[in-house]
Amino acid sequence: MTFDLIGPIAYASFFLVLALVNALVCLGLNVQWGQTGLFNVGVVGFVAIGAYASALLTTPPSQGRLGGFALPILVGWLAAMVASGAVSAFVGAVTLRLRADYLAITTFGVAVVVQLVALNAQGLTGGAFGVAFIPRPFDSLASTPALYDLANLALIAIVVVVVYVALERLARSPWGRVLRAIREDERAAMALGKNPVRYRLQAFALGGALMGLAGAIGAHFIGFIAPENYTSSLTFQVWAMLIVGGSGNNLGAIIGAGLVWALWSASGLIIADLVPASFEARAAALRIIAIGVLLATMIVVRPRGLIGEKAMVSRHLDKE
Amino acid sequence: MTPQVLVDGLMSGALIGLGAIGVTLTYSILGFANFAHGEFISFGAYATLLVASGISALIVGSDQGIGALSISPAVIGASFIAMALTAGLALALDKILFSRLRGKSAAISIVMASFGASMAIRASLEFAFTSRPAYFSRDLEIARPIGFSLRATPDQIALLAVAAALLIGVHLLLTRTQIGRAMRAVSENPALARVAGVDVDATIRFVWAIGGALASASGVMLGLLVQIRPFMGFDLLLPLFAAAILGGIGSAPGAFAGALIIGLGEAITVQLAGSEWRAAFAFLVLIVVLVVRPTGLAGRPT
């Protein structure tokens, strides 16, 4: 009987690991957009930077490609956060004192250029063939896939919980209050002596670092990355997750990630099962149309998402 | 590097310019960066393709190139209809999506809505036409010498002339007509324009129509010179934004000047670093402008 269970368990934990990786990206986006109102259209670029940074540091030496330092996975994760955080800080420094749209346009450009570099700088990124042999946590368990997936699931769940708790504390800290104050009324915050550009820059870099971490975790789980994994439809999915879940709410970001990822995976399975191969590319396009319509509809009909932002009132006030 | 980059650069500059005018006008009058503008370009190209095949089925011989050009009467006729259709798409998008958000929510959520619309339109094109490239004509065009040791295909020369004519037309429209003055007034101060008797809603509709029509023309040209793909407009989006910002938001001549600079720069990049790095140049320009002179060439400090 156990034999029948292993397949579903393996698939469920594989699915959940990827859902949690998406949840981590979504939490990063929530820091940028939900809490600070910064619009990032190049989410996938920051995820890819993290994935590649970690891959280059942790893979064994490889011919014809820079990197391959065989460093521990944890070093890769940290480097991913630093790399994505640094690029975010640079983008923020260039655009945050300007109009909000310029940040959007520049992040879009980052995603385009990261894709270009991933595809064409073969000496750095392996080009279209990508980077293989990325060390995987718990690789010794790989002979029993269910066990391997479960161990990874536990590890990533811990990371997500730690990040979630940390972000919740941050949101309630003076720093988080300043962020919301700036988002709601920039002038009032300035009048209280807060420098909006500096706080926005910090929030943007923190969000970017989380996206980088998510990219690295995903890369180490699969063990292989290629440019085609990092196209604009990922940016789009993560946005749908945050908007559906409720921007401004960390729990909403995680629930939205799980929900949209479930819809996305289920529709993928249905397409693979029911749609003839000749029609598959078209059916895949239909999926993206559906998400586009979902996103636009949510923005118009229910901009708060499923669970919107909690109203933050001082705990010294009576709750009524 | 050969002087030939001049022809290639002018050509891609003209394509970018026609799109960038729409971006800069919608940006200055409606106050948001429209990420769906690239899809207007792709939509225009596919609409032309569809209408042209209809025309050539009805009128025998209309799919033959005119003289030395590979451009057929069917494509020319279809491109006018496609301009109207793309203007209609822009208006429809404004009616069902953007107008609902205007004034109510933050400008940035309109940007996000345009991002969703962009994805949905692009995927619809992929659904309808698949991602396989399509072509207006299978004729092979030979580049001929045009003096100064430059070579150009007859198509390139004709399309450059069309782009120049469209640009002059838009410039005259913006500077010499009542609707052009209304557009500048709305961009300056919508409330004051309304008080002064400008029909703000009609002006906004006019801006969408012009932006859509010019994007469609750009798409047809890109389709004639290269190929038609669902991603053709999306891939042009970064150069469009870079040109609009380099030129100074709201300035049509600025956008066109910015587009020519980016077109020439891209052609030089292709010569020096290879065609795969083409898109990197627009990003470089974007960063430099934002650091050095965020108001752009023609922009005034805000």
Side-chain angles (χ1 to χ4, degrees):
Chain A
M1 278 312 283
T2 49
F3 188 73
D4 290 329
L5 274 176
I6 286 176
I9 287 179
Y11 184 78
S13 35
F14 181 81
F15 164 83
L16 280 174
V17 167
L18 294 184
L20 285 177
V21 169
N22 278 304
L24 206 52
V25 184
C26 207
L27 283 171
L29 186 62
N30 190 36
V31 175
Q32 295 180 340
W33 168 254
Q35 273 154 9
T36 325
L38 302 173
F39 190 50
N40 184 345
V41 201
V43 173
V44 66
F46 300 93
V47 175
I49 289 171
Y52 274 98
S54 188
L56 293 188
L57 290 178
T58 57
T59 44
S62 139
Q63 281 216 322
R65 178 167 62 71
L66 202 79
F69 300 104
L71 292 171
I73 293 175
L74 201 60
V75 176
W77 284 11
L78 291 176
M81 293 180 75
V82 171
S84 291
V87 174
S88 309
F90 170 75
V91 169
V94 171
T95 57
L96 284 178
R97 61 205 162 82
L98 307 170
R99 297 191 41 153
D101 311 53
Y102 288 3
L103 175 70
I105 293 168
T106 310
T107 52
F108 175 74
V110 167
V112 171
V113 171
V114 166
Q115 176 69 222
L116 270 189
V117 171
L119 205 54
N120 298 312
Q122 269 165 8
L124 186 67
T125 60
F129 300 111
V131 181
F133 303 113
I134 304 171
R136 309 190 292 177
F138 311 109
D139 208 19
S140 53
L141 303 176
S143 51
T144 29
L147 216 54
Y148 169 78
D149 287 341
L150 274 177
N152 272 286
L153 178 60
L155 175 68
I156 294 168
I158 291 170
V159 173
V160 171
V161 167
V162 168
V163 169
Y164 171 78
V165 172
L167 288 180
E168 280 292 296
R169 293 197 64 135
L170 261 181
R172 283 176 177 74
S173 71
W175 187 77
R177 281 203 299 274
V178 173
L179 282 190
R180 280 193 304 280
I182 291 169
R183 188 192 61 189
E184 296 302 327
D185 191 338
E186 187 170 339
R187 284 189 186 187
M190 281 167 80
L192 293 170
K194 308 297 179 193
N195 178 353
V197 174
R198 215 182 72 205
Y199 279 92
R200 285 202 179 111
L201 189 64
Q202 290 165 352
F204 195 68
L206 173 63
L210 289 177
M211 292 171 189
L213 176 64
I217 290 178
H220 285 287
F221 175 64
I222 303 290
F224 167 73
I225 53 175
E228 70 204 30
N229 304 344
Y230 303 104
T231 58
S232 58
S233 72
L234 182 78
T235 297
F236 197 54
Q237 276 175 31
V238 176
W239 269 104
M241 290 167 183
L242 186 61
I243 300 296
V244 167
S247 55
N249 187 319
N250 286 319
L251 196 62
I254 296 175
I255 291 175
L259 204 64
V260 172
W261 183 244
L263 284 174
W264 185 259
S265 310
S267 58
L269 284 179
I270 292 170
I271 289 173
D273 268 7
L274 299 182
V275 179
S278 57
F279 202 71
E280 250 177 51
R282 289 193 160 170
L286 267 188
R287 279 208 292 180
I288 294 177
I289 301 174
I291 285 216
V293 173
L294 176 73
L295 183 59
T297 314
M298 278 307 265
I299 293 170
V300 172
V301 177
R302 196 178 163 82
R304 288 182 70 242
L306 289 179
I307 39 173
E309 187 173 1
K310 279 169 285 185
M312 294 265 187
V313 188
S314 166
R315 60 197 147 89
H316 302 295
L317 288 176
D318 287 334
K319 285 182 185 141
E320 285 178 60
Chain B
M1 200 163 47
T2 65
Q4 190 59 33
V5 296
L6 209 63
V7 175
D8 300 338
L10 278 179
M11 200 60 245
S12 68
L15 290 175
I16 296 168
L18 287 175
I21 289 177
V23 167
T24 205
L25 289 182
T26 39
Y27 199 147
S28 76
I29 287 171
L30 296 159
F32 78 100
N34 178 17
F35 276 80
H37 202 81
E39 275 57 47
F40 296 166
I41 292 177
S42 320
F43 180 87
Y46 276 108
T48 307
L49 187 68
L50 212 59
V51 175
S53 69
I55 293 178
S56 48
L58 286 176
I59 307 168
V60 180
S62 64
D63 56 349
Q64 295 302 311
I66 304 170
L69 304 174
S70 79
I71 307 164
S72 66
V75 169
I76 295 175
S79 69
F80 285 105
I81 298 171
M83 281 168 93
L85 289 174
T86 313
L89 173 75
L91 286 169
L93 206 56
D94 185 60
K95 191 162 178 63
I96 58 174
L97 191 60
F98 301 136
S99 69
R100 285 169 201 266
L101 296 166
R102 202 151 43 233
K104 272 193 299 187
S105 30
I108 206 73
S109 66
I110 308 185
V111 179
M112 195 197 303
S114 79
F115 190 66
S118 144
M119 203 87 183
I121 297 173
R122 187 164 63 254
S124 308
L125 291 176
E126 234 178 321
F127 177 73
F129 299 96
T130 74
S131 49
R132 241 195 332 268
Y135 299 87
F136 284 119
S137 157
R138 291 277 170 189
D139 293 352
L140 207 60
E141 281 259 293
I142 313 274
R144 310 164 177 208
I146 52 167
F148 306 106
S149 73
L150 295 176
R151 299 173 81 83
T153 64
D155 280 5
Q156 283 177 323
I157 297 168
L159 293 179
L160 269 178
V162 171
L166 282 172
L167 173 72
I168 293 169
V170 170
H171 183 70
L172 291 178
L173 188 79
L174 288 178
T175 52
R176 301 287 154 83
T177 64
Q178 194 59 36
I179 186 78
R181 280 172 57 198
M183 278 162 65
R184 281 182 290 147
V186 173
S187 134
E188 203 79 30
N189 187 334
L192 201 59
R194 202 185 291 273
V195 171
V198 173
D199 186 343
V200 173
D201 294 331
T203 312
I204 288 174
R205 285 196 297 273
F206 191 74
V207 169
W208 279 118
I210 286 206
L214 290 177
S216 173
S218 168
V220 176
M221 293 187 188
L222 192 58
L224 283 166
L225 292 171
V226 192
Q227 55 186 201
I228 309 168
R229 294 176 300 124
F231 270 79
M232 62 193 282
F234 188 73
D235 290 342
L236 214 56
L237 196 56
L238 187 58
L240 292 190
F241 280 138
I245 293 177
L246 172 60
I249 291 296
S251 159
F256 213 84
L260 286 181
I261 292 171
I262 288 177
L264 287 169
E266 280 189 345
I268 293 170
T269 309
V270 168
Q271 286 270 322
L272 294 181
S275 61
E276 66 269 28
W277 294 104
R278 174 184 280 268
F281 183 78
F283 184 70
L284 199 68
V285 169
L286 180 68
I287 295 289
V288 170
V289 175
L290 291 183
V291 170
V292 177
R293 192 181 158 87
T295 51
L297 298 174
R300 295 150 298 177
T302 43

